[in-house]
Amino acid sequence: MIWEKSRPPSTKSPEYGRFPANMASEEASLRALESLMTEFFHNCTTNERKREIEELLNNFAQQIGAWRFCLYFLSSTRNDYVLMYSLTVFENLINKMWLGVPSQDKVEIRSCLPKLLLSHHKTLPYFIRNKLCKVIVDIGRQDWPMFYHDFFTNILQLIQSSSTIPLGLIMLKTTSEELACPREDLSVARKEELRKLLLDQVPTVLSLLTGILETVWDKNSVTAATPPPSPTSGDHGDLLSNLLQTPTTAKLLNQPIPILDVESEHISSLALECLAHLFSWIPLSTNITPSLLTTIFHFARFGCDTRIRKMTSSVNGSSQNCIWQQERGRLGVLAMSCINELMSKNCVPMEFEEYLLRMFQQTFYLLQKITKESNAHTVKSRLEELDDSYVEKFTDFLRLFVSVHLRRIECNSQFPVVEFLALLFKYTFHQPTHEGYFSCLDIWTLFLDYLTNKIKSRLANKEAILNRYEDALVLLLTEVLNRIQFRYNQAQLEELDDETLDDDQQTEWQRYLRQSLEVVAKVMELLPTHAFSTLFSVLQENLDVYLGLQQFVITSRTGHRLNITAENDCRRLHCSLRDLSSLLQAVGRLAEYFIGDVFAARFNDAFTVVGRLVKVTLYGSQIKLFNIETAVPSVLKPDLIDVHAQALATLQAYSHWLAQFYNEVHRQNPQQFISFLSSAMEAITPLISNKVQEKLLLSACHLLVSLATTVRPVFLISIPAVQRIFNRITDGSAQRLPNEAQVLVCRALSNILLLPWPNISENEQQWPERSTNHTNLIAALTRNYRHLKSNAIHPPRKGQLEDSKVVIHQTLSVLKDIIENISGEATKSRQICYQSLQESVQVSLALLPAFIHQSDVTDEMLGFFLTLFQGLRVQMGVPFTEQVIQTFLNMFTREQLAESILHEGSSGCRVVEKFLKILQVVVQEPGQAFKPFLPSIISLCMEQVYPIIAERSSPDVKAELFELLFQVLHHNWRYFFKSSVLASVQRGVTEEQMENETQFIAVMQAFGQSFLQPDIHLFRQNLFYLELLNTKQKLYHKKIFRTTMLLQFVNVLLQVLIHKSHDLLQEEIGIAVYNMASVDFDSFYSAFLPEFLSGCDGIDSNQKNVLGRNFKMDRDLPSFTQSVHRLVNDLRYYRLCNNSLPPGTVKL
């Protein structure tokens, strides 16, 4: 026996299930296999026993002639497991061993399997039948047409015979899937041949499919009972006649939808699935005939006709009928999938444009049906009744139409775009789900972008274009604004989740609001005056409610209370406050449309807005609505806080307008500007407190930063409110704000003193006085930190250590932020900043060795020094910078580096990464000041850091190390290659003199080694660095690289492609290989390629010659990379073929 019969798992002996020495009868083998399969899937079988069985089955499958037994099993068993196993044996044979199968066996298999399919296809389970179809198609993939000439003819015959249409369609779809875009187990030439063979069959196939669908429709239309009159069938209005110029088409699409029998429905589904897959790869051409398109649209109606749904439910309410009804809806989904496959093609031949127009007309007929209101249906209820997948497909169609085809169809007189927008409007604002609504808003965004770009390219026609679409844009704006307001849309808005964050770190409510406001902003760009007046009038209504709350505030024993208690009044107030917050956000989103070139033209509108915002923020802070008691504290208190925070955030959005106002207008009307700023500061100051809710506190801090940084008026420091904030922050006894707020306020105060005032000459900037004030500010902020200097001599005890860590974290986070925000400013500002920080920097340098074993503190300190080097290295001066670098190099010994990387986990690695980032800044510095450190830095990298991380699989530290090595090369090229013009002229060559060759080779070898590791991010980064060095410094052309390294790099990159280890980077690797080869194409083709192929194992000499011949000697990038990918594909294919041959095969 092939396998002995096994007993039930509970009584089995280890001897059961082994191969005996002799071969048994097919019948006995089948019974044994059935028993093994039953045992394998039995829930009592142990994993160990399953592994035994699996090994047994795998061994059997590898035997020569096993397929004969499987052929018998397929025709003689009803056990699904045995059937599936047998087909898997055939699949493995065909895909991995076919080349070594004797030709007479192939003939027998090609003959037997189709016969088996034909005789059993109606009784086999569908998944077994489909697997058998795929196995036969796999044979066709290998042998058609040379050895299996009737493969496709057989499929066409199946489709043309009424009894085997479903089987033929399954075979056709499987053929399209497996042959049009085959896997890599074929040569490129074979892939191209298969595609050409299939394309030759496309006209016949499409004709057959058209005939099948038309026959199904016509047959059932004749026998269909006439449905009762429908409220939607009589009146289709002018819009329909506009969309469909031909009355015949309108009449055809108006016919009642037939009721299909189960067989017709099944055949239609299969035919539409075939079409959808064919359309995914065949080019648009006249083979896709008008009659085929019309037929597809007939079937698309199955998805949008609710009338049939009602009829069937009234006739038969059984569950069987519901399943049948779902199948009917599925036909509509499949038809829309076909349409969308065609729509997604951007390349449209001229002769196909008319077909496209017809498709659009027919689809919009369907859109009109979907959005038709009647006595029995609202648009929303109609959409709710449709299959979700159908609505999704329809939305996809609309998106494809607007994004891909609107530009080519808009000017066609036969297509009424404005009427289409009216339908899209109805479709959008009656979507039954939030996701559906979001998708439709995306379509409107695409349309608005299209319109904006069109106007920018045709400024002369701006008015005409806007006039055509103005009504649609106004309607859209009004409705989107209504949709974000509880006043009009409370039920839907309350369903939105405002707590759970998605992948973009926003809640469902925030996403809803953001997408809506993007549409509002885009309309504002096109119709600024109308959009602003619409939005501001709605905002004003809600502002009046908010500003009127003061009259309801009464004083109680516990504080102030809002005397609105009736449930209905509280609900209305809640809605009004939520709407006010949303509308404030909308006004903030529009701030960019009041500055720049349009500042003067739209000044009055912006002036009004800013005036209202200043009033609202001051009002909220003065009467402290955020601390008031309410009847429904869990609802109204968050609403009041949110409105106040949003008002501050909206005012912050207008800081650029305030800056332009200050620069351009304040000379004529300075008092108004001063009033704005003073009132804003009076609104901010009471909120800079630990007692204020964090959301409100941070909004106030951000506004303060913007006023200090963006507007920066000369008088800001003299405003009493600003003086109070200075006193609050520098008072050592005052409680510290939460860290984020403390950092923001300190940034604002520092910027007030450091940033130059606009429109003031250098002599009038009062730098000496401001410098003194800044020094005092930093001294106050670092008071406790500077007291830690004693820790450098006497390390702190355990209790003190934690206190010290808190002080270090709090102080350095403030100082880092101050430096980061001043780093891009004028030299004077950075000089003053560094003077103020000098003592703190010295303290940090003294403390660092004391905390070297506290990786969290070291990380913080090195982060501070990194920021210092990035922002103020010029101000630090060369001597002190050298002192800092030397201190670091002395601290980070090999032992310390190993401890940090290997034993301290991620925090230790972060310390080393920060250290390497500091060195990156140093090596990028121009001039000669820091060049003496280069040998030490390269030595540290290659002799101390690299040996520790080279063999580690973890990506920690590697990215930073290689970035440092790249910066060493990129900014210090002359350290390695001395270029002397005189020497070049004298020698008559341009070859540069090489220095520090050993270090250069070591660095290049490290780059090469990184390409052998699995980390794809490091691979991408390092490949980019090499390419950049070649672009900037001609790396690949340097003699040392060209003669000793180039071919090694090309070899490694090709091997990476062959092993598919970094498949996502195929394109980048191909380009890099081209750039390396292009240094000397002659050498590449004559020497490297033959040598590379001769070293390839797993292929014979004939195959190597074929690979060499197929690599065309092109010198342009597209052709060369195509040849590279062909080489890689065919090499892998040959290896697969050779591995499939039985041992001892003689290859000629």
Side-chain angles (χ1 to χ4, degrees), residues 380 429 477-494 512 534 537-539 541-542 572 575-576 578-579 583:
K380 186 168 183 178
F429 293 105
L477 174 71
T478 306
E479 193 58 37
V480 170
L481 284 176
N482 287 347
R483 286 306 174 101
I484 63 171
Q485 294 179 71
F486 281 77
R487 177 179 176 182
Y488 301 105
N489 194 26
Q490 184 174 357
Q492 265 198 316
L493 294 179
E494 285 185 340
Y512 182 93
T534 303
S537 62
V538 185
L539 174 72
E541 291 175 36
N542 289 283
R572 284 170 57 205
C575 291
S576 179
R578 289 294 300 269
D579 290 348
L583 294 165

Side-chain angles (χ1 to χ4, degrees), residues 840-858:
S840 299
V841 173
Q842 294 285 1
V843 169
S844 302
L845 194 60
L847 286 175
L848 194 53
F851 287 96
I852 188 68
H853 298 294
Q854 304 289 327
S855 57
D856 53 343
V857 178
T858 314

